[in-house]
Amino acid sequence: MKLIGRLGLILLTGFISICTASAQLYGTANTNAPELRVPKSVKPAFDYWMRDTWATLGPDGYYYITGTTSTPDRHFPGQKHCWDWNDGLYLWRSKDMKSWEAMGQIWSMEKDGTWQKKPKVYKAGEKYQKKSINGDPMDNRFHAVWAPEMHYIKSAKNWFIVACMNESAGGRGSFILRSKTGKPEGPYENIEGNKEKAIFPNIDGSLFEDTDGTVYFVGHNHYIARMKPDMSGLAEELKTLKEKKYDPEPYIEGAFIFKYDNKYHLVQAIWSHRTAEGDTYIEKKGVTSPKTRYSYDCIISTADNVYGPYSERYNAITGGGHNNLFQDKAGNWWATMFFNPRGAQAAEYKVTCRPGLIPMIYENGKFKPNFNYKTK
């Protein structure tokens, strides 16, 4: 009996050890997980240079897409980019998410901006960044609008755009625009809260309307604040979202919140790194670096309260970072992407910086790519 007991203890200990070894530590990643890869069937929705793709279904039955774009008629000595300057915001629409109609420029920094309109121009002899993070040659003029999001706010019965400036004479930061006509194509004007300066002093601002009509501003580096009912500005001081962070916490951006299944879903973008120690989201000095970056992933966590605490984060799409999720007319879920040109994964794409749409599925409280969408 003693021998049987010892054998049982050994087997139990071995089983626990195997389970512990196979359990994925929080902050590690698996960039090869087939169920989280972008389906090969996903191609650019249309041929236009774009980053930070944003898509939504409007109350008029049209789907709308916008994103960070390069100036159409600008001459580039290298590849197209938007790191130093561009000219404004552009919009596309579709009835079926297959054929997209260009609606042109809907907001011009030069014509429609206030504090956003003047570029920061470096004089001869002044130091400035000569090349982008991708190695693209940059001018001495800095004046770009990035990461626009279009939101139809039901409680206000109007369209709003949130975007951010990289650098300009008026500074950098996020701002909110309101449609003067109630139409998605605008024209747009600054809300009162950012008429003179940015409403938030950092990039990647967003909006979220709760089911009770309360609207929140969400900002880079995990900030949130309730908006005034008339959408003129913030109704409270910015607060930090309560999250289950990685240790150490890496650089995270592109925050966006939506509500589904009675849960608040916090979507953010984090770089995965392929290292000798394994795939990880946790940046470690001497281990991770720009050379180890593989994919820019769509990371999601959930909460019962908009302020948190949010659960452990999970990867929803390998390579789908800085995006949004939305439902189509039939209730199917989709996520945007832009075929990021940075990181080792970029070599797998035929083209980069184009708007893409990924069919998604929600199972067991998590979102992931829907590989069976076309067979339904």
Side-chain angles (χ1 to χ4, degrees):
M1 289 298 291
K2 287 183 179 179
L3 178 61
I4 294 172
R6 286 175 184 173
L7 285 172
L9 180 61
I10 291 169
L11 289 171
L12 179 61
T13 304
F15 177 74
I16 292 171
S17 298
I18 291 170
C19 290
T20 304
S22 62
Q24 189 170 309
L25 295 175
Y26 188 53
T28 58
N30 182 0
T31 58
N32 289 306
E35 69 276 12
L36 302 180
R37 304 282 298 188
V38 176
K40 291 184 178 179
S41 60
V42 175
K43 308 296 181 186
F46 50 87
D47 187 20
Y48 199 90
W49 195 97
M50 183 184 295
R51 293 176 58 89
D52 314 320
T53 307
W54 176 275
T56 189
L57 173 60
D60 57 1
Y62 277 99
Y63 297 94
Y64 292 93
I65 278 183
T66 188
T68 306
T69 56
S70 61
T71 302
D73 56 356
R74 178 182 173 185
H75 171 72
F76 293 89
Q79 296 181 353
K80 285 184 179 180
H81 67 86
C82 60
W83 298 112
D84 44 12
W85 62 273
N86 59 13
D87 61 345
L89 304 177
Y90 291 76
L91 184 64
W92 288 260
R93 73 176 182 179
S94 172
K95 277 286 189 180
D96 56 10
M97 292 201 298
K98 295 177 182 178
S99 178
W100 292 89
E101 172 192 359
M103 302 187 74
Q105 189 184 64
I106 60 170
W107 185 77
S108 164
M109 283 189 288
E110 187 177 336
K111 297 176 183 177
D112 305 316
T114 54
W115 60 272
Q116 305 103 323
K117 71 192 307 178
K118 293 183 180 180
K120 184 170 184 176
V121 180
Y122 290 87
K123 298 177 182 178
E126 285 187 302
K127 289 184 179 181
Y128 66 93
Q129 190 177 346
K130 300 293 194 302
K131 289 187 177 182
S132 73
I133 53 179
N134 287 341
D136 306 304
M138 297 203 297
D139 290 341
N140 65 331
R141 173 189 177 192
F142 284 75
H143 193 220
V145 57
W146 292 345
E149 298 183 359
M150 291 195 63
H151 296 265
Y152 182 78
I153 302 301
K154 294 179 182 178
S155 56
K157 297 180 181 178
N158 202 359
W159 285 92
F160 292 81
I161 293 176
V162 192
C164 59
M165 299 295 297
N166 67 334
E167 194 174 359
S168 69
R172 64 177 289 168
S174 298
F175 57 94
I176 302 171
L177 303 173
R178 176 199 297 117
S179 175
K180 293 181 182 180
T181 61
K183 296 179 181 179
E185 63 268 30
Y188 285 85
E189 62 182 353
N190 277 296
I191 64 167
E192 292 74 6
N194 52 227
K195 238 173 197 176
E196 305 299 326
K197 64 178 182 178
I199 198 168
F200 178 66
N202 214 323
I203 61 171
D204 296 351
S206 183
L207 288 175
F208 162 63
E209 184 175 24
D210 209 337
T211 47
D212 64 357
T214 305
V215 181
Y216 298 85
F217 174 86
V218 181
H220 179 59
N221 281 346
H222 324 283
Y223 285 103
I224 187 170
R226 184 167 38 85
M227 294 286 295
K228 294 179 180 178
D230 63 0
M231 293 293 294
S232 63
L234 301 181
E236 62 181 354
E237 293 293 321
L238 287 160
K239 303 175 183 178
T240 305
L241 291 165
K242 297 176 183 177
E243 302 175 65
K244 185 172 178 54
K245 297 181 178 182
Y246 297 135
D247 185 21
E249 183 83 323
Y251 175 75
I252 304 175
E253 59 186 3
F256 159 66
I257 291 176
F258 69 98
K259 194 174 185 180
Y260 184 67
D261 194 25
N262 292 318
K263 294 283 186 181
Y264 295 91
H265 300 262
L266 172 61
V267 183
Q268 299 182 91
I270 309 180
W271 277 103
S272 68
H273 293 258
R274 281 184 171 175
T275 74
E277 298 181 8
D279 296 353
T280 181
Y281 292 114
I282 297 174
E283 294 184 4
K284 299 178 182 178
K285 191 174 181 180
V287 177
T288 58
S289 71
K291 292 182 179 180
T292 65
R293 285 176 182 161
Y294 175 71
S295 58
Y296 191 51
D297 298 349
C298 169
I299 305 296
I300 302 179
S301 57
T302 60
D304 295 320
N305 187 289
V306 70
Y307 295 102
Y310 283 86
S311 67
E312 287 193 351
R313 301 160 177 156
Y314 68 91
N315 178 22
I317 314 167
T318 299
H322 205 143
N323 66 341
N324 77 302
L325 282 79
F326 68 99
Q327 286 180 286
D328 64 18
K329 297 173 186 177
N332 299 307
W333 280 99
W334 295 81
T336 59
M337 70 171 297
F338 66 93
F339 304 92
N340 198 331
R342 298 177 64 203
Q345 189 185 36
E348 301 171 15
Y349 300 138
K350 289 184 178 179
V351 294
T352 59
C353 292
R354 297 295 188 277
L357 297 170
I358 306 169
M360 301 291 288
I361 191 168
Y362 183 71
E363 288 183 341
N364 301 318
K366 292 183 178 181
F367 287 92
K368 64 180 181 179
N370 185 359
F371 286 83
N372 297 319
Y373 176 74
K374 285 193 172 182
T375 62
K376 282 189 172 183

